[in-house]
Amino acid sequence: MATHSLVAATSDTIRIWDLGVSSTKQKTSSAYQRGHRSSQSSGSSSNGLGSGAEHAHIATDAVHTADKPAGAIDSITAVSWASDGNTFVVGGRGTSMRQYGRTGETLQDIKLNRQTERGGSMSIAAVKHYGSASESLFVGNSTVRQVRRWDFVRKEYTTCQTHESDISCLAVCAKKRIVASATAQGGEIALFNLQYNTRSDLRSATHKALTCIDIAPGLRSHVSVGSEDGLLQLFDATRSGGAPLRSFSHLHSAPLRGLEFHALSSSTLVTVGLDKRVVVTDANAYSASSNTGSALEIRTQAPLTCLACAQDPYTIGVGTIDGDVLVYDARMTPTPLWSATVRPNHAVVAMDIAMARTDGSASSQPLAR
């Protein structure tokens, strides 16, 4: 049995669950078949998720409520597990970020202002741990419109890239040593190469707010971006200034609120939106004209506000506008395997999943990354 640690937050409440996840051999069920688009055969495995020969069972091993971030964060917007699964960092609107232990105890506050800057409140759009030992943390600071890197050892910031408008989302890939960020206005998408300290820009097909971004695992140099108009764009990261390789305008009918590349396939994307849908798409096979290529579609009762995929890689966690967290097995069924509430009637704004390895440590990033 694998152990996942899931952290989810509303603007003022943080909860942590330790979940025991086990797999059971089983033939593909009718429920799994209903999760596919009707135009695609129920046995298709082109999405890289398998044929549904297994499904998971989830049990809650423990639940914790983290200390209130009073005095540091006025409104939470972001959360990230460290690679060992023992600590996580929360960011938002305030004077500091806060690092917590895995059961919710406060460990330290990380000031957002450099020593040369005036004190005062800042807005953090995203935080992402980086490195095999999570020795640093990338921070999307919307107030100064910069992506900054916090060094936990040196306890100092360095600036990676600056945008012309407010940063809205951030992604990192340790294997490729790339940081990607995008903005809420103007369609800015920037990639920073940490090895060569160089920046390249991509050209968005929309000027609507860009809401989520991710970098493909494996060998492919793909970056995907979702936006407020429901558009999903796929880019080649090696083509500076390049337009999207593909745009998907029919997957979602409302703003996108989360996307992640699937851990087993650089062409498979998981997306969620305010249209109450989780969609798993094979970018290579998708056809807008015939509406095929979306191997799995799950409909929920409430609009979805965030996404977190585990490295196992079948566990998909989503947060809702009503304050609930739902966990699905992508191979099996559109019915959630597990659900819980962070705070009733308050939108889940951020979540992350760390999964235990066989040596007892944990990782919030797929091993291929």
Side-chain angles (χ1 to χ4, degrees), residues 284-299:
N284 291 335
Y286 179 75
S287 170
S289 59
S290 60
N291 208 32
T292 59
S294 290
L296 178 69
E297 179 181 320
I298 300 171
R299 296 184 179 272

Side-chain angles (χ1 to χ4, degrees), residues 233-251:
Q233 302 177 76
L234 183 69
F235 294 89
D236 182 348
T238 64
R239 296 170 55 191
S240 180
L245 296 173
R246 299 198 66 183
S247 295
F248 308 90
S249 58
H250 295 86
L251 291 179

Side-chain angles (χ1 to χ4, degrees), residues 24 26 86 116 154 157 180 183 299 339:
T24 302
Q26 179 171 308
N86 289 323
T116 56
R154 297 181 179 178
Y157 287 105
T183 62
R299 296 184 179 272
S339 64

Side-chain angles (χ1 to χ4, degrees), residues 2-13:
T3 300
H4 295 63
S5 292
L6 187 155
V7 58
T10 65
S11 62
D12 62 356
T13 302

Side-chain angles (χ1 to χ4, degrees), residues 14-274:
I14 308 162
R15 300 195 77 191
I16 311 105
W17 293 269
D18 293 331
L19 304 177
V21 181
S22 60
S23 294
T24 302
K25 296 284 185 180
Q26 179 171 308
K27 293 181 179 180
T28 305
S29 71
S30 59
Y32 174 79
Q33 295 173 13
R34 289 196 299 271
H36 288 71
R37 289 183 180 270
S38 58
S39 59
Q40 192 165 324
S41 65
S42 62
S44 172
S45 60
S46 62
N47 58 338
L49 300 181
S51 61
E54 295 183 350
H55 72 95
H57 293 284
I58 297 181
T60 304
D61 292 337
V63 59
H64 312 280
T65 300
D67 300 335
K68 295 281 187 180
I73 305 171
D74 298 325
S75 180
I76 298 166
T77 57
V79 63
S80 174
W81 278 108
S83 58
D84 63 6
N86 289 323
T87 65
F88 62 90
V89 169
V90 172
R93 178 74 181 175
T95 59
S96 303
M97 297 177 291
R98 180 161 289 181
Q99 185 185 49
Y100 290 90
R102 63 175 297 119
T103 58
E105 69 278 15
T106 298
L107 299 180
Q108 65 171 318
D109 286 349
I110 303 169
K111 290 290 185 182
L112 294 175
N113 302 91
R114 289 172 165 162
Q115 293 181 354
T116 56
E117 295 172 335
R118 290 185 177 181
S121 186
M122 289 187 170
S123 291
I124 301 304
V127 292
K128 298 288 183 181
H129 281 85
Y130 181 84
S132 58
S134 292
E135 59 269 18
S136 60
L137 181 80
F138 284 95
V139 181
N141 190 319
S142 292
T143 301
V144 295
R145 298 177 174 177
Q146 291 181 342
V147 175
R148 293 177 171 180
R149 183 177 185 174
W150 171 257
D151 189 309
F152 281 101
V153 177
R154 297 181 179 178
K155 297 190 179 300
E156 63 182 18
Y157 287 105
T158 55
T159 299
C160 294
Q161 54 198 25
T162 302
H163 286 273
E164 294 182 1
S165 60
D166 293 353
I167 296 169
S168 56
C169 50
L170 174 72
V172 299
C173 182
K175 185 175 183 179
K176 299 176 182 177
R177 302 190 68 180
I178 294 175
V179 181
S181 53
T183 62
Q185 296 178 339
E188 279 187 85
I189 307 169
L191 307 179
F192 188 80
N193 188 304
L194 295 165
Q195 183 176 0
Y196 300 107
N197 291 326
T198 56
R199 169 176 168 158
S200 58
D201 291 84
L202 303 174
R203 191 169 72 250
S204 175
T206 179
H207 286 284
K208 295 292 186 180
L210 303 175
T211 56
C212 45
I213 191 169
D214 198 22
I215 304 168
L219 298 177
R220 294 199 176 187
S221 299
H222 285 171
V223 173
S224 190
V225 182
S227 56
E228 195 71 22
D229 54 4
L231 182 68
L232 178 66
Q233 302 177 76
L234 183 69
F235 294 89
D236 182 348
T238 64
R239 296 170 55 191
S240 180
L245 296 173
R246 299 198 66 183
S247 295
F248 308 90
S249 58
H250 295 86
L251 291 179
H252 289 271
S253 58
L256 283 170
R257 286 294 180 260
L259 76 84
E260 290 193 25
F261 280 96
H262 194 272
L264 291 184
S265 171
S266 294
S267 65
T268 303
L269 285 154
V270 183
T271 54
V272 299
L274 296 182

